[in-house]
Amino acid sequence: MGHKGTETRERILDASEKLIESGGYFNAGLNQVIAASGAPRGSLYFHFPEGKDQIVGESLRRAGATIGGVLEGMADSGGSAEEFVEAVIVYLGDRLEESGWARGCPVATVALEMAAVNDDLQRACSDVYTAWTAALASRLDGRLDADDLAVTLLALIEGGLVLAKAHRSREPLERVKRQVATLLR
């Protein structure tokens, strides 16, 4: 695939990610992706012959890898486990607020909408959450309960993002940060 083809494919995925994150699976119809990306309809089918579910699955994995990379970078920066988790919450809160409360978690809405009815998208959501849980667990300083605690922390963060989005306020995330401090002592 040439430079132009790669660029078109990336524009389609960029548009899909934004549509999915701000409105879920049903907000990312093919017509919406075409309009948001500026890509010709034929390019959409050329790059994604399996259609919408392929675009959504790749978008989820791509967005998950982007945030996963941020988590790994934060994990490598040193500091305590508590400081790391608080930095993750601040990063995600900043991202949410800067988007006008539209972009919380790139996976949550699709997981809620599609995991029970679409095996491919369920696997994509599960893969992303598994990677994020592993990134959290890696910073829990050798605790025996690191895996369980990482799932708990991810659930708190995800729930905090949903509540922050619903309230258009960072207060739920601030409350989550306080509980994280308690859990990690």
Side-chain angles (χ1 to χ4, degrees), residues 38-119:
R41 184 173 294 276
S43 292
L44 192 102
Y45 294 108
F46 174 78
H47 293 291
F48 303 96
E50 295 171 38
K52 178 179 176 173
D53 287 352
Q54 182 183 6
I55 296 169
V56 171
E58 287 190 37
S59 294
L60 289 171
R61 285 188 167 85
R62 185 174 178 245
T66 298
I67 290 179
V70 171
L71 295 179
E72 289 171 13
M74 289 178 174
D76 293 341
S77 67
S80 69
E82 181 181 339
E83 291 168 332
F84 163 65
V85 176
E86 285 182 4
V88 169
I89 293 168
V90 168
Y91 164 75
L92 293 170
D94 288 348
R95 191 173 175 277
L96 176 59
E97 189 171 10
E98 289 167 5
S99 72
W101 308 103
R103 298 183 77 195
C105 172
V107 179
T109 304
V110 174
L112 291 170
E113 292 173 331
M114 302 303 294
V117 297
N118 185 309
D119 291 342

Side-chain angles (χ1 to χ4, degrees), residues 122-171:
Q122 177 274 323
R123 273 190 298 280
C125 294
S126 179
D127 291 347
V128 171
Y129 282 139
T130 298
W132 291 353
T133 302
L136 288 167
S138 74
R139 280 299 287 121
L140 294 175
D141 302 325
R143 292 175 61 137
L144 294 177
D145 64 345
D147 292 336
D148 289 346
L149 188 53
V151 169
T152 300
L153 292 169
L154 183 57
L156 282 170
I157 293 166
E158 286 288 290
L161 287 169
V162 169
L163 292 172
K165 191 172 186 176
H167 295 298
R168 293 185 181 170
S169 167
R170 289 181 82 122
E171 182 58 29

